[in-house]
Amino acid sequence: MATLPAKVTRPPYDRAAVKAGVVHLGIGAFHRAHQAAVFDAALTAGDLRWGIIGVSLRSPGVRDQLVPQDGLYTLVEREGDARRLQLIGAVQTVLVAPEHPAAVVAALASPDTHLVTLTITEKGYKLDPATGALIEADADVAADLASLEAPRTAPGFLVAALARRRAAGLPPFTAISCDNLPHNGARLRQAVLRMAAAHDAELAAWIEAEGAFPQTMVDRIVPATTDADIAELARTLGVEDQAMVKTEPFSQWVIEDRFAGPRPDFAALGVQLTDDVAPWEEAKLRLLNGAHSGIAYLGGLAGIDFVHEVVALPEGRRFVERLWDEAESTLSPPPGLDVAAYRAQLMARFANAALQHRTRQIAMDGSQKLPQRLLASIAACRATDTRCPALKLAVAAWMRWQEGIDDQGRAFTVDDPLATRTAAALEGTVTAEEKVAALLALDAIFPPALAEDAALAQLLAAWLHRLETEGARATLARL
């Protein structure tokens, strides 16, 4: 380990004595800033069972960053001018699934593995956003349903490993989805059981009876690392850290208290265990994530690069507060959540200029995020006949975003797994009403009750027309 400045916190434990009790699928920046920091804290507390084997399900990029650094990387917490630097040592190695699928299955099936965590983004589960069912027409899903010799999908890897564990007389691991999916544990369980049933009914029954897929809610803002971030850290460390991640001081993890085997002392690590995650998950999705999506599309259309710049505008802050008023009316908060304090805390987090959280980053994969972040709140408002203009403006901004041009006339690429379908739907449309009708017809995004709501379509078209003719900032001012 290079000689580092004294202000960098180092792992105090013997890394050579650590066992890999965790396999993490999707070892991107969020995991390294969130769950990995928790497991590193468990190791620091003396429980050396919780090292991490990271798995990339697609590209070798993170492996190529981390392995030359022996799995070490710097977690940089930023708030204002303050910086807290911590060297994380929990990651032992990184596997690239397409290169060595058998090695991934072996890691998952190891007797040392007790927890499998996932941050593979909403689209990584290969689930229909409306129903939660596996998209069996997807080429990778179809391949795994036919054979698990070399799995391609997260459910495929989990089932292949669980089959091997059962054959070896090992208990199942606990699989914890840490993505922003509604009912993430139940949806992961459903996908795994469907995949297992396609291969072995007895295996599926064993997983159903013995496995654990707890619901969870994770919260930490983790912007994408830039070359400038790496260069700034190198000036402090004296060495370059290609795998560094930047984040905010705030971190929250709520897990349903449902496990199939050993776990760290989560409560001592600041993780909240509960019998019911749903109210926490709902509040986070509809307040934090819903506002983030609205900020991303309206700010992006206005040519504003960062979240803090949007909420610095009076009209931007008013929009967020109005959206929160509407979304809050749909919540049933858990006893431990003070919504007013949570909102104040969220606004302070959004205003943290040191994070440099890009609107373009949040705007990615909108078709996968819209149902739980915005449409669920709109449906709940509709059920109680409550007006929700800010939520509808956010959806109209997403619709405008699908055209791939901002208010300054600059073209951009719509980064979304359904971008081809949204572009095809919009082809030939001219008026705002035509565009709204075409996009509402996409049943992979909009449930029938909303798609067939004439009043909703009319209001979305009115907002879309304003966005096209007046621009995002002027439209925000009107709200």
Side-chain angles (χ1 to χ4, degrees):
M1 189 184 301
T3 301
L4 299 175
K7 64 181 177 181
V8 180
T9 303
R10 299 162 175 78
Y13 48 86
D14 178 4
R15 295 186 75 215
V18 172
K19 291 185 176 182
V22 182
V23 174
H24 182 82
L25 305 184
I27 185 165
F30 185 81
H31 169 72
R32 303 202 305 277
H34 190 279
Q35 302 95 46
V38 172
F39 293 123
D40 194 79
L43 299 175
T44 297
D47 189 346
L48 300 184
R49 297 174 296 169
W50 305 109
I52 301 165
I53 294 176
V55 177
S56 172
L57 291 177
R58 294 183 295 175
S59 71
V62 176
R63 186 270 313 276
D64 295 346
Q65 293 171 344
L66 273 172
V67 170
Q69 300 181 181
D70 194 26
L72 294 164
Y73 64 92
T74 312
L75 177 63
V76 182
E77 291 183 6
R78 295 179 172 182
E79 186 172 35
D81 295 330
R83 300 288 186 271
R84 179 179 178 271
L85 309 180
Q86 180 182 0
L87 197 65
I88 301 293
V91 178
Q92 297 188 301
T93 192
V94 178
L95 305 174
V96 180
E99 294 179 3
H100 300 293
V104 175
V105 175
L108 290 163
S110 166
D112 288 336
T113 299
H114 305 299
L115 300 178
V116 177
T117 50
L118 301 90
T119 52
I120 56 177
T121 75
E122 294 91 341
K123 64 184 177 184
Y125 292 84
K126 307 286 188 177
L127 303 177
D128 183 310
T131 66
L134 269 177
I135 304 173
E136 298 189 18
D138 178 271
D140 291 335
V141 173
D144 282 357
L145 287 170
S147 171
L148 290 175
E149 286 297 313
R152 299 186 189 180
T153 67
F157 277 108
L158 296 181
V159 171
L162 286 165
R164 186 175 298 185
R165 294 178 76 95
R166 178 169 174 261
L170 293 172
F173 43 64
T174 299
I176 308 176
S177 166
C178 300
D179 284 294
N180 287 322
L181 290 170
H183 316 296
N184 50 18
R187 290 205 167 187
L188 177 60
R189 180 177 183 271
Q190 178 182 346
V192 167
L193 291 177
R194 170 68 188 98
M195 184 67 70
H199 296 280
D200 183 341
E202 291 185 0
L203 172 64
W206 178 76
I207 295 171
E208 186 171 17
E210 304 293 335
F213 301 84
Q215 310 282 106
T216 187
M217 185 274 275
V218 293
D219 188 1
R220 197 171 211 187
I221 296 172
V222 185
T225 301
T226 66
D227 291 342
D229 296 325
I230 294 171
E232 178 187 336
L233 181 62
R235 289 191 290 271
T236 300
L237 298 183
V239 294
E240 191 171 90
D241 181 357
Q242 287 289 330
M244 68 155 285
V245 288
K246 64 180 181 181
T247 189
E248 59 179 338
F250 179 90
S251 182
Q252 185 180 27
W253 195 359
V254 182
I255 308 177
E256 181 186 10
D257 195 358
R258 182 190 299 270
F259 295 84
R263 66 190 190 204
D265 185 356
F266 276 127
L269 301 171
V271 177
Q272 183 173 349
L273 297 175
T274 180
D275 292 332
D276 188 8
V277 171
W280 296 92
E281 172 189 73
E282 188 177 75
K284 190 251 183 176
L285 287 169
R286 297 187 186 183
L287 296 177
L288 185 152
N289 297 122
H292 256 168
S293 288
I295 288 168
Y297 297 118
L298 289 160
L301 290 170
I304 300 172
D305 289 332
F306 299 111
V307 169
H308 71 270
E309 294 174 328
V310 176
V311 297
L313 298 171
E315 61 269 33
R317 184 172 288 247
R318 283 197 302 269
F319 161 75
V320 172
E321 294 287 1
R322 180 68 178 271
L323 185 146
W324 283 342
D325 288 342
E326 296 167 7
E328 183 182 341
S329 73
T330 74
L331 300 177
S332 300
L337 179 63
D338 180 335
V339 176
Y342 182 56
R343 286 176 52 165
Q345 185 181 52
L346 284 180
M347 188 62 80
R349 294 166 64 194
F350 289 177
N352 183 356
L355 281 180
Q356 301 286 287
H357 198 189
R358 292 189 177 275
T359 53
R360 187 66 59 89
Q361 178 187 350
I362 302 167
M364 293 169 57
D365 300 340
S367 67
Q368 311 297 295
K369 299 171 179 177
L370 222 64
Q372 58 267 28
R373 295 185 175 198
L374 297 169
L375 300 184
S377 293
I378 290 174
C381 287
R382 181 176 178 271
T384 58
D385 200 25
T386 302
R387 295 181 68 250
C388 52
L391 287 162
K392 292 170 184 174
L393 172 56
V395 174
W398 172 83
M399 292 178 163
R400 170 71 170 148
W401 188 262
Q402 302 315 299
E403 299 185 73
I405 188 165
D406 68 13
D407 293 346
Q408 292 72 43
R410 296 175 298 205
F412 58 84
T413 299
V414 178
D415 192 340
D416 191 285
L418 296 187
T420 302
R421 290 185 62 184
T422 57
L426 290 170
E427 188 173 357
T429 60
V430 177
T431 67
E433 289 79 7
E434 291 171 341
K435 293 171 184 176
V436 168
L439 292 171
L440 284 176
L442 296 175
D443 58 5
I445 305 172
F446 294 93
L450 295 184
E452 298 164 7
D453 186 334
L456 172 63
Q458 184 179 15
L459 288 168
L460 289 173
W463 279 131
L464 181 57
H465 178 71
R466 288 198 184 280
L467 289 168
E468 290 177 333
T469 57
E470 300 178 15
R473 284 198 63 176
T475 303
L476 280 172
R478 281 186 177 273
L479 177 72

